[in-house]
Amino acid sequence: MLMSSPQAMAGRAFAPPSLMSARLTSGFEHKLAHGVLRRIECRELLFAEGDAASHVYRIETGAIALNKVLADGRRQVIGFAYPGDLIGLGVEGEHVMNAQAVKATRVRCLPVSALRQSIAEDPALGVKLYEALARELAATRDLMLTTGQRSAVERVASFLLAFSRRNQRVGQDPANFELPMTRTDIGDFLGLTIETVSRTFSKLKLLGLIELPCSNRVKVTDIEALQGLADGAQEA
Amino acid sequence: MLMSSPQAMAGRAFAPPSLMSARLTSGFEHKLAHGVLRRIECRELLFAEGDAASHVYRIETGAIALNKVLADGRRQVIGFAYPGDLIGLGVEGEHVMNAQAVKATRVRCLPVSALRQSIAEDPALGVKLYEALARELAATRDLMLTTGQRSAVERVASFLLAFSRRNQRVGQDPANFELPMTRTDIGDFLGLTIETVSRTFSKLKLLGLIELPCSNRVKVTDIEALQGLADGAQEA
DNA sequence: CGGAACATTGACCCATGTCAAGTGTCGTGG
DNA sequence: CCACGACACTTGACATGGGTCAATGTTCCG
């Protein structure tokens, strides 16, 4: 077996596209379906950096932000996990990041030992987990390219597009959605302050690319133009 | 087997600490030792984003920068690989980043098929590769925390410390070393311009924390203070 | 209705980017 | 051995994107 134990894991593209939604094998699915359902309140931690990595978790409803913090409190959100995503995969031992609910969330818990057993029974599951980890790595690197090299507008546009694409992938409206996370979460994800995030949303609204009926609801009205900004077309 | 094929991979801590130095299993070691030795000239690409991922590579001498570029040329270096490191691991199919020599470099090449076979013969190798991938993911996330949240001084100090630690780990002088990469590579790694990198080196010199006999040679004279700056102690 | 938390907006400032000279340092060819 | 050119690096002057601080709005819930 190759899987050993938890830590954060994910699995798709860049930003919000969340963490691994791989369709996993039946034995594992079955165990998970019977796993303990746990509720995490808004802002509560599912696990923290340094915790023993005893379980893996699948998000059922809600959303989780995976983050790391510096000694002085500066925070970097590494990714968001949405329903269907699996988190807690990684190296043996301790979690290396915090998993915090951005809204009330339900997760199914599966002990690492049960996961190990599933892998022993079905080696293909091991391969899938490996590939999910590789995808997660690729996604994290894309995010690095974004936070390291792009302007505020490019970052926010990329973020919205990524969220939109994910929505489409899971069969929801790609042009009209609700962001579960706060401006602070978005800022810590993109490496911007909440003021800059807010100003950038306003700017996109002013440019006529999005509408914001209320602060967490986004309607994308010109996805082409948004894509242009994300790709670095000269900004208005 | 769980390994399928290449893509970038790495394995230790934050910044320069390079990519995976795992001591791998004997059958694999043996194959690698007999693998083709290839020389890459300074600035030449070992592989590029989009190339078929046909081989994995172990650095013998020199250094490689793994990077991604935006359409307009902005570049993000994701990590550096040093002798002993293995690169090219990851998901099936295509490489997702460029591997460019920062100086004349020699690598051993191993076809993915041979790696697969080794894994089939020795499942423990699969586990090791999985763990290496997980470490690489953790390292990339640490780097994100650095480029996303830290100031120029903190980034450069962290970079130097990480390089120093790596040197120590491989039994070389942690206080006196030669940086194989250019200021441009460092800048693209840390998300800074070359001017800012240069100025920050000068500042650290002025503060008496390092000496720079010539631009690529670094002597760390006050590692404690350097650590302080990296950790965000108020700057001078 | 009141207050807490989050979001928006404005004014100002500063760290870092940009642009522009220099200043080594190295390798090549005379 | 020296001259030259090519790079890489350093340093300075200036510009600016985004951070900081502060006031105001909005939403939601008790």
Side-chain angles (χ1 to χ4, degrees):
Chain A
M1 68 85 259
L2 77 295
M3 221 288 127
S4 336
S5 109
Q7 182 157 302
M9 97 71 32
R12 266 303 32 256
F14 155 71
S18 89
L19 313 207
M20 157 153 168
S21 331
R23 286 298 126 235
L24 294 168
T25 344
S26 55
F28 176 66
E29 272 298 347
H30 184 260
K31 273 185 202 160
L32 202 47
H34 291 267
V36 175
L37 192 57
R38 179 169 154 195
R39 181 187 167 90
I40 305 110
E41 295 306 325
C42 187
R43 303 284 110 194
E44 194 189 333
L45 290 177
L46 172 58
F47 56 78
E49 194 169 343
D51 282 1
S54 57
H55 293 73
V56 297
Y57 307 92
R58 186 178 62 187
I59 317 296
E60 299 297 320
T61 63
I64 297 276
L66 297 166
N67 68 68
K68 296 176 77 95
V69 307
L70 250 23
D72 60 11
R74 281 175 290 177
R75 188 176 80 131
Q76 176 72 45
V77 171
I78 306 294
F80 297 101
Y82 305 104
D85 295 341
L86 206 60
I87 62 174
L89 258 28
V91 295
E92 189 82 42
E94 294 186 351
H95 288 297
V96 297
M97 38 199 335
N98 306 302
Q100 183 183 32
V102 299
K103 60 186 291 194
T105 295
R106 287 182 182 283
V107 298
R108 292 243 177 236
C109 309
L110 188 72
V112 168
S113 57
L115 178 60
R116 268 208 202 93
Q117 194 191 337
S118 288
I119 293 169
E121 289 163 6
D122 177 7
L125 176 60
V127 179
K128 284 187 180 167
L129 290 173
Y130 179 87
E131 288 173 350
L133 199 65
R135 277 196 304 276
E136 170 67 355
L137 182 55
T140 304
R141 286 165 167 166
D142 281 347
L143 179 57
M144 280 205 52
L145 184 59
T146 292
T147 61
Q149 306 297 330
R150 294 162 116 118
S151 70
V153 175
E154 290 171 341
R155 293 183 208 197
V156 172
S158 299
F159 174 76
L160 290 175
L161 282 169
F163 198 96
S164 168
R165 270 185 250 116
R166 170 173 215 282
N167 250 24
Q168 187 151 45
R169 206 172 48 245
V170 299
Q172 298 187 8
D173 193 335
N176 200 330
F177 45 85
E178 188 137 350
L179 295 173
M181 70 293 284
T182 66
R183 295 287 185 265
T184 301
D185 293 320
I186 298 173
D188 288 347
F189 181 60
L190 299 176
L192 300 170
T193 60
I194 80 176
E195 291 96 331
T196 300
V197 173
S198 184
R199 273 188 260 268
T200 306
F201 271 87
S202 298
K203 188 170 176 180
L204 295 177
K205 190 167 64 173
L206 217 54
L207 288 171
L209 309 192
I210 63 173
E211 287 170 28
L212 295 168
C214 63
S215 70
N216 287 331
R217 176 151 289 279
V218 179
K219 187 174 172 193
V220 180
T221 50
D222 189 345
I223 200 166
E224 312 282 306
L226 201 58
Q227 184 68 59
L229 284 190
D231 292 345
Q234 76 296 340
E235 295 160 20
Chain B
M1 61 95 253
L2 77 293
M3 220 288 129
S4 334
S5 111
Q7 182 155 301
M9 100 70 34
R12 270 295 37 255
F14 157 70
S18 91
L19 312 206
M20 154 152 170
S21 331
R23 285 298 125 236
L24 295 167
T25 343
S26 54
F28 176 65
E29 273 296 349
H30 183 260
K31 273 185 201 159
L32 202 47
H34 291 268
V36 175
L37 192 57
R38 179 169 155 194
R39 180 186 168 90
I40 304 112
E41 294 307 325
C42 185
R43 303 283 111 194
E44 194 188 333
L45 291 177
L46 172 58
F47 56 78
E49 194 169 344
D51 282 0
S54 56
H55 293 72
V56 296
Y57 307 92
R58 186 178 63 185
I59 317 295
E60 299 298 319
T61 63
I64 297 277
L66 296 166
N67 67 68
K68 294 175 79 93
V69 307
L70 250 24
D72 60 11
R74 282 174 291 176
R75 188 176 81 133
Q76 177 71 45
V77 171
I78 307 295
F80 296 100
Y82 305 103
D85 295 341
L86 206 60
I87 63 175
L89 256 29
V91 295
E92 189 82 43
E94 293 185 353
H95 288 296
V96 296
M97 36 197 339
N98 306 302
Q100 183 182 33
V102 300
K103 59 186 291 194
T105 295
R106 288 182 180 284
V107 298
R108 292 241 177 238
C109 309
L110 188 72
V112 169
S113 57
L115 178 60
R116 270 209 201 94
Q117 194 190 338
S118 288
I119 293 168
E121 288 164 7
D122 176 8
L125 176 61
V127 179
K128 285 189 180 166
L129 290 173
Y130 179 87
E131 289 173 351
L133 199 64
R135 277 196 305 275
E136 169 66 357
L137 183 55
T140 303
R141 284 163 167 166
D142 281 347
L143 179 58
M144 280 204 54
L145 183 59
T146 292
T147 61
Q149 305 298 330
R150 296 163 114 120
S151 70
V153 175
E154 289 170 341
R155 293 183 208 196
V156 172
S158 299
F159 174 75
L160 290 175
L161 282 169
F163 199 95
S164 167
R165 270 185 250 115
R166 168 172 216 280
N167 251 24
Q168 186 151 46
R169 205 172 52 244
V170 298
Q172 298 187 7
D173 193 335
N176 199 330
F177 46 83
E178 187 136 349
L179 295 173
M181 70 293 284
T182 66
R183 296 285 185 270
T184 301
D185 293 320
I186 298 173
D188 288 347
F189 181 60
L190 299 176
L192 299 171
T193 60
I194 79 177
E195 292 95 332
T196 300
V197 173
S198 184
R199 273 188 259 268
T200 307
F201 271 85
S202 299
K203 189 170 175 179
L204 295 178
K205 191 167 64 173
L206 217 54
L207 289 171
L209 308 192
I210 62 173
E211 288 170 26
L212 295 168
C214 63
S215 69
N216 287 331
R217 177 152 288 281
V218 178
K219 187 174 173 192
V220 180
T221 50
D222 189 345
I223 201 164
E224 312 283 305
L226 201 59
Q227 184 69 58
L229 285 190
D231 292 345
Q234 76 297 337
E235 297 160 19

